[in-house]
Amino acid sequence: MFFEPPAANTTSPDPSRRRSRRKVLVTRMLLVVAMVVLLFLSRGILAGWARQTAVGQIRAGAITRAQQWLAWSRWLHAGDGTTELMQAACYRHLEQEDRWVEAVQSAKRMGAPPRQIQQEIDLGLVRTGTMRDGPERQLRAMIDAGAPPREVATAFVYGYLRREEPEMAKAVLDALAKQSPSDVQVSYLQGVYWRSMGKLLRARAEFGHVLAKCPGHELA
């Protein structure tokens, strides 16, 4: 008796089963794509949140803490020109002019908005005493162009003091105090002003007010 080989299975897989497997595969691919997109977007969102936190630290005079938050922003979203521009602002407040120049140039290379770059350049130059003819018009023009009034006033107070024009610095400071009397920056700039005038006791008193409101204000 001869043994016959088993008959080949000629039945095709169930079409519904093939469709089910295909749906599972497509679903898995979509989930992977969604996770990648979510990770990319979340990094950008978290980097933006870190920058906003740095803004608050700068306003409180905690420049080192601000730089730490900017480091997180840089790690989350490398190559962001806005982060580098904020780093330039930190160097401006610390009066580290060489590093300020490097940070501004880095922000340019990374594509930071030109208007914001120009604002930072103007603030940095004014702070060092480099002003255009008609500084009062320049001050108003910078604010009208969108620069924060608090930052503009700070730059002009420092700039006038460097130019040895204390009466002009006092005029800007008085205008800021009238506009924002409760702003801790007013007390800080008054301390800077009195220190430049050699009135160290009055300067210490103003810096004391600053530290009472903002204990982390390292500039005071």
Side-chain angles (χ1 to χ4, degrees), residues 146-197:
R150 186 180 193 258
E151 293 289 291
V152 174
T154 298
F156 271 89
V157 168
Y158 271 95
Y160 278 129
L161 290 177
R162 182 167 289 196
R163 288 160 61 105
E164 298 184 354
E165 298 180 34
E167 68 286 350
M168 296 299 297
K170 190 66 165 57
V172 174
L173 180 52
D174 289 345
L176 179 63
K178 183 177 181 181
Q179 182 179 6
S180 306
S182 61
D183 191 343
V184 69
Q185 188 71 357
V186 173
S187 294
Y188 172 69
L189 290 176
Q190 286 177 341
V192 171
Y193 171 79
W194 290 119
R195 182 179 61 191
S196 71
M197 300 297 292

Side-chain angles (χ1 to χ4, degrees), residues 1 13 70 93 102 106 109 124-125 133 143 162 168 203:
M1 180 180 293
L70 291 176
H93 284 289
E102 292 175 1
S106 179
R109 290 193 299 270
L125 292 176
D133 292 338
I143 294 175
R162 182 167 289 196
M168 296 299 297

Side-chain angles (χ1 to χ4, degrees), residues 116-149:
Q116 295 181 17
I117 291 175
Q118 189 58 52
Q119 285 180 359
E120 181 59 39
I121 291 174
D122 290 341
L123 288 169
L125 292 176
V126 167
R127 187 181 176 107
T128 63
T130 304
M131 304 175 187
R132 296 193 294 267
D133 292 338
E136 296 85 355
R137 290 194 300 274
Q138 183 184 6
L139 185 152
R140 176 51 54 188
M142 289 172 65
I143 294 175
D144 291 343

Side-chain angles (χ1 to χ4, degrees), residues 191-212:
V192 171
Y193 171 79
W194 290 119
R195 182 179 61 191
S196 71
M197 300 297 292
K199 305 291 185 179
L200 299 184
L201 290 179
R202 296 191 65 172
R204 290 195 187 102
E206 294 294 343
F207 291 144
H209 295 327
V210 173
L211 293 174

Side-chain angles (χ1 to χ4, degrees), residues 32-178:
V32 171
V33 172
M35 290 177 64
V36 172
V37 172
L38 181 61
L39 179 61
F40 178 79
L41 292 178
S42 64
R43 287 172 69 91
I45 292 172
L46 289 173
W49 177 77
R51 287 194 299 272
Q52 288 302 313
T53 304
V55 170
Q57 296 295 333
I58 292 174
R59 289 184 62 86
I63 307 303
T64 299
R65 291 182 182 176
Q67 290 177 317
Q68 292 170 348
W69 283 106
L70 291 176
W72 275 107
S73 177
R74 190 180 295 109
W75 181 80
L76 289 165
H77 193 190
D80 188 286
T82 304
T83 300
E84 295 305 308
L85 204 55
M86 291 185 63
Q87 183 67 71
C90 290
Y91 290 138
R92 168 165 50 84
H93 284 289
L94 293 172
E95 298 187 294
Q96 297 178 356
E97 296 176 13
D98 290 341
R99 291 186 174 182
W100 175 80
V101 171
E102 292 175 1
V104 170
Q105 293 300 323
S106 179
K108 287 182 179 179
R109 290 193 299 270
M110 293 182 182
R115 181 177 64 84
Q116 295 181 17
I117 291 175
Q118 189 58 52
Q119 285 180 359
E120 181 59 39
I121 291 174
D122 290 341
L123 288 169
L125 292 176
V126 167
R127 187 181 176 107
T128 63
T130 304
M131 304 175 187
R132 296 193 294 267
D133 292 338
E136 296 85 355
R137 290 194 300 274
Q138 183 184 6
L139 185 152
R140 176 51 54 188
M142 289 172 65
I143 294 175
D144 291 343
R150 186 180 193 258
E151 293 289 291
V152 174
T154 298
F156 271 89
V157 168
Y158 271 95
Y160 278 129
L161 290 177
R162 182 167 289 196
R163 288 160 61 105
E164 298 184 354
E165 298 180 34
E167 68 286 350
M168 296 299 297
K170 190 66 165 57
V172 174
L173 180 52
D174 289 345
L176 179 63
K178 183 177 181 181

